[in-house]
Structures are given as C-alpha cells and as structure tokens.
Amino acid sequence: MAKKYRINPETLQLERIEHGLRYWLRRSGGYIIGGICLGVIFFYVFLYFFPSPREASLMQYNKNLTAEMEVLSKQVDQMQIVLSDLSQRDDNLYRAILGAEPIPLSVRMGATRQINYYDSLAHMTNTQLAADLQRKIDVLEKELYVQARSYDEILDLEKKQETRMENIPAIQPVLNKDLKHMASGYGWRVDPVYHVRRFHEGMDFSAPVGTDIFATGNGVVTYAGWRQGYGETVEIDHGFNYATRYAHCSKIKVRVGQKVKRGEVIALVGNTGKSTGPHVHYEVHYLGRPIDPRNYYFYDLSPEDYDKMLQMSSNMGKMMD
C-alpha cells in the first residue's frame, strides 16, 4: 500500500503527502495495463480450449468430411478390384475366344496426372487422404474408359465371329478320321534329303496320288501354281490374319481370285517338288507367320482323336519334304 505520510527531516514531524494527478494517472495506468494483459491472456486461453460456435461447426464439418472421404476411398478400392477382374476376363477369356490381342497394361493404366499435381494436394486440408483419393479416381476413370472401349470392340468382334468361324482353318486337308494319313508334324524334324535337322513349318499327310485335298476354311485363292521346293501349290487367304498352304499337289483345281468354301476340293494329292512320297504338305499362317496346324482341327476331330493326333505329331522322325 502507498504511504500517505512522511517525516520532515528538518522539523522531525509527520507531514501528509499530497499526490498530484500525474501520480494517480501513472498508478491507475499500471493497473489498467495489467488488467488488459491478463484479459488478453484469458481470452486466448479461452479460445484455445473452448472454440467458438463457428469453429466448432467447421471442426465437425471437417471431421464428417474426413469420414466421408475414407468411405469413398474404400468404395474406390472395391471398384478397382471389380474392374481388375473384368480386365482379366476381357484379356484372357473374351478377347482370347475372339482372337483379339490383349490390351497392354500401359494402355489400360494410361497416363494420369503429373506427380506435381498430387504433390500440390499435399498442402491442402486432409492432405494425404485427398491426394490418394484423387490418384485412385484418375486411374479408375482411365481404366473404365479403356474397358468400355474394349467392350465396344468385343461386341463388334462378336458380330463378325460367325464369319470368322466359317473362315479360319478348322479341318484337316484330307479325309483322315482314322489318323492313318498323318506322316510328320510341325517343328524340328530330320530333312529326308539332306539328313540334317530343319524346322518343319507345317504337317505332312500321306495319301495316294489323286486323293482330294480340301480347303480347310472359307477364303480366296491367292496363289495356284508351281513353287520352288513345294511343287504344285495352292495358297488361300482366309481373312482375319489367317492363310493356308497346300503343297506337292498333282493337280490344282482352283484359280487365283476364286472364292472357296470349307470342304471344297481345291487340288489332288501328288508328289511334286521336293518330296519323297505322295503327300500333301499343309501349313497354317497367322499374322504372316507359320503356326502349328494341329490346333486348327476342332471341327474334324473328337477330343480323344485330338489327343492321339497330338501324340503322333510330336514325333521327331523324318518329314516327307
């Protein structure tokens, strides 16, 4: 408490101290400033521990938004699983059956946004969750677009499937239900003339000279004449990237440009060209490359006969050409 009296050193008596306005202002100011500082401290402490109604509402909204984003992220994950399953069926079942090439993974995933875009999301509210969800949605959007286009393509292929199944090779080039006419299969064989191993690009079917040779699928004759090594040869374009070759014929019964049907006689078995006995050398080409013909007899053989034919064609003996 401030003193109200003082001792006069000269008179040695108590004298009343008189304070002026300046004194009282200075003293009052100290209390006022202290009160203001204390009030400010209490104000910020209150704000820290007790948010305002608006802040409380925003905090609740943010909490609800975070929960909704987590639910959406899980739903996107489930959609991604379903889409991945559809993509696998599309490549391994639908497109395989229709003879279409699988869609490359790089095309399915596509080019999403730049990494910098996702990094920028990391500076926003709910950073990690927002960036992760946006990335998932971008990938999902691209995959859905590619899958939708793929189904459009499959639908178009399915419409063409009937024509395709009529055209692609599907029977043996000679009557051979008992499999007695098959002489050599596709693959590495011993050359009958040079006695060295050489890759045999087709299958040989032995049969008497004059035996009918059939077109193994609908198509257009692209070659009918003599080929070096093959002798009298017929070649047919079946469309859909398939072609067949029939070599060592004794007689050709079709001409270039002629349309033929599966089962139609196109030539007769012979022994022309580089051949060691009467037979027809038969090749199947896909995308311009020879492939194993034994996979294209599904209209001609039972499952049991097909298994037997696979075993017979796998022998490593000599070929006839």
Side-chain angles (χ1 to χ4, degrees):
M1 178 179 284
K3 296 180 179 181
K4 297 182 180 180
Y5 298 89
R6 67 182 177 83
I7 298 176
N8 191 322
E10 295 180 357
T11 62
L12 300 177
Q13 294 188 15
L14 290 174
E15 293 181 352
R16 187 182 182 88
I17 299 175
E18 298 293 340
H19 296 295
L21 179 61
R22 185 176 179 180
Y23 169 81
W24 291 109
L25 288 175
R26 185 171 61 248
R27 187 166 182 175
S28 299
Y31 288 116
I32 291 172
I33 292 173
I36 291 175
C37 292
L38 190 60
V40 170
I41 292 173
F42 278 117
F43 176 75
Y44 280 105
V45 170
F46 181 83
L47 288 181
Y48 182 80
F49 290 101
F50 303 98
S52 67
R54 183 172 182 274
E55 289 177 327
S57 177
L58 289 174
M59 290 174 64
Q60 185 61 42
Y61 175 78
N62 186 59
K63 183 178 180 180
N64 294 339
L65 182 61
T66 300
E68 290 177 2
M69 291 177 67
E70 290 176 350
V71 171
L72 284 175
S73 181
K74 291 180 180 178
Q75 291 177 344
V76 170
D77 289 340
Q78 292 298 319
M79 293 171 64
Q80 185 66 60
I81 293 174
V82 174
L83 183 57
S84 296
D85 181 62
L86 291 176
S87 299
Q88 291 181 7
R89 293 189 184 190
D90 183 26
D91 286 339
N92 301 325
L93 181 60
Y94 309 136
R95 301 182 75 83
I97 291 176
L98 295 173
E101 293 293 326
I103 298 177
L105 182 60
S106 59
V107 175
R108 285 195 179 276
M109 299 300 292
T112 54
R113 299 177 188 267
Q114 296 295 324
I115 298 300
N116 292 338
Y117 172 79
Y118 299 111
D119 290 340
S120 68
L121 294 178
H123 302 290
M124 301 179 183
T125 307
N126 298 313
T127 55
Q128 192 66 35
L129 192 58
D132 185 60
L133 182 59
Q134 183 64 59
R135 184 181 293 107
K136 290 178 181 179
I137 290 175
D138 284 349
V139 173
L140 187 64
E141 182 181 26
K142 176 63 178 179
E143 289 190 53
L144 284 172
Y145 173 77
V146 173
Q147 190 59 57
R149 292 294 302 271
S150 176
Y151 281 145
D152 289 340
E153 182 183 353
I154 287 175
L155 181 61
D156 184 58
L157 289 172
E158 192 277 331
K159 292 178 181 178
K160 298 177 180 178
Q161 180 69 359
E162 184 176 353
T163 302
R164 178 178 180 274
M165 294 306 294
E166 291 176 350
N167 283 39
I168 65 174
I171 63 173
Q172 297 176 95
V174 295
L175 287 177
N176 188 34
K177 291 189 179 298
D178 55 8
L179 301 180
K180 292 181 179 180
H181 293 299
M182 194 174 65
S184 181
Y186 175 92
W188 289 98
R189 298 291 185 269
V190 177
D191 189 287
V193 177
Y194 303 110
H195 305 291
V196 295
R197 292 182 74 245
R198 179 170 63 85
F199 195 83
H200 192 224
E201 296 183 343
M203 293 184 72
D204 294 337
F205 294 86
S206 61
V209 173
T211 300
D212 290 336
I213 300 175
F214 307 108
T216 57
N218 297 354
V220 178
V221 177
T222 56
Y223 189 88
W226 184 274
R227 274 199 184 280
Q228 183 66 33
Y230 289 100
E232 295 292 340
T233 303
V234 175
E235 296 176 0
I236 299 175
D237 180 7
H238 300 277
F240 303 96
N241 298 313
Y242 284 96
T244 51
R245 173 180 289 162
Y246 314 78
H248 309 299
C249 307
S250 61
K251 184 178 181 180
I252 295 175
K253 293 195 169 186
V254 291
R255 64 184 184 280
V256 173
Q258 180 178 337
K259 293 182 178 181
V260 295
K261 295 286 187 180
R262 177 181 292 135
E264 182 176 341
V265 176
I266 57 173
L268 303 179
V269 171
N271 191 28
T272 58
K274 179 175 170 287
S275 173
T276 57
H279 75 288
V280 57
H281 171 81
Y282 174 62
E283 296 181 10
V284 176
H285 290 242
Y286 180 67
L287 293 173
R289 298 186 299 272
I291 57 178
D292 197 335
R294 67 184 183 179
N295 297 322
Y296 293 89
Y297 302 139
F298 46 86
Y299 278 1
D300 210 17
L301 299 175
S302 67
E304 294 77 14
D305 287 339
Y306 180 74
D307 288 339
K308 182 179 178 182
M309 184 269 297
L310 290 180
Q311 295 177 4
M312 296 174 63
S313 63
S314 297
N315 72 79
M316 298 297 290
K318 292 182 180 181
M319 48 192 170
M320 298 186 70
D321 46 27

